[in-house]
């Protein structure tokens, strides 16, 4: 596999350049997760970085390089898409399939 040196911006890895394995197209993964062990022996903390283009080329707009930006809030949530891919219905539960209704008297 091929690797590419990618700079990191923000967070604890700010300013570092690390080799990252690239995919078959030569692009690094969209999210880069770095587990940091807890000194007290608890669960490790996971630092999350998102891929961003450094600068587009002048003629075609193709990125010349990549960098990873720190996401302090963690990985983005993956909400399930529903047909017809619009806003949820009013009164719908945020994570469930049944609407919220008042209790029967």
């Amino acid at each position: 596999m091929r690797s590419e040196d990618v700079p990191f911006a923000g967070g604890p890895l700010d300013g570092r350049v690390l080799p990252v394995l690239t995919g078959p197209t030569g692009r690094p993964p969209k999210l880069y997760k770095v587990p940091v062990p807890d000194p007290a022996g608890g669960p490790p903390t996971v630092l999350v970085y998102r891929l961003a283009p450094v600068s587009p080329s002048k003629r075609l707009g193709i990125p010349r390089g990549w960098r990873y930006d720190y996401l302090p809030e963690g990985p983005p949530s993956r909400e399930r898409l529903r047909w017809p891919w619009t806003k949820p219905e009013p009164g719908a539960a945020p994570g469930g399939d049944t609407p919220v209704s008042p209790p029967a008297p």
Side-chain angles (χ1 to χ4, degrees), residues 2-48:
R2 186 173 159 245
S3 66
E4 182 177 335
D5 291 337
V6 180
F8 286 78
L13 297 178
D14 188 24
R16 293 189 185 188
V17 178
L18 299 175
V20 176
L21 292 176
T22 60
T25 60
R27 182 177 175 177
K30 292 180 182 179
L31 288 178
Y32 191 78
K33 298 178 183 179
V34 181
V36 178
D38 186 16
T45 303
V46 178
L47 304 175
V48 180

Side-chain angles (χ1 to χ4, degrees), residues 8-93:
F8 286 78
L13 297 178
D14 188 24
R16 293 189 185 188
V17 178
L18 299 175
V20 176
L21 292 176
T22 60
T25 60
R27 182 177 175 177
K30 292 180 182 179
L31 288 178
Y32 191 78
K33 298 178 183 179
V34 181
V36 178
D38 186 16
T45 303
V46 178
L47 304 175
V48 180
Y49 288 85
R50 178 182 289 159
L51 188 66
V54 173
S55 64
S57 64
K58 293 180 181 179
R59 297 183 88 185
L60 299 175
I62 300 172
R64 292 184 179 179
W66 303 97
R67 74 166 184 258
Y68 278 108
D69 293 331
Y70 180 62
L71 295 176
E73 66 275 358
S77 65
R78 291 182 159 228
E79 293 184 10
R80 195 172 132 198
L81 291 177
R82 297 174 187 237
W83 177 257
W85 296 293
T86 58
K87 295 180 181 177
E89 296 178 15

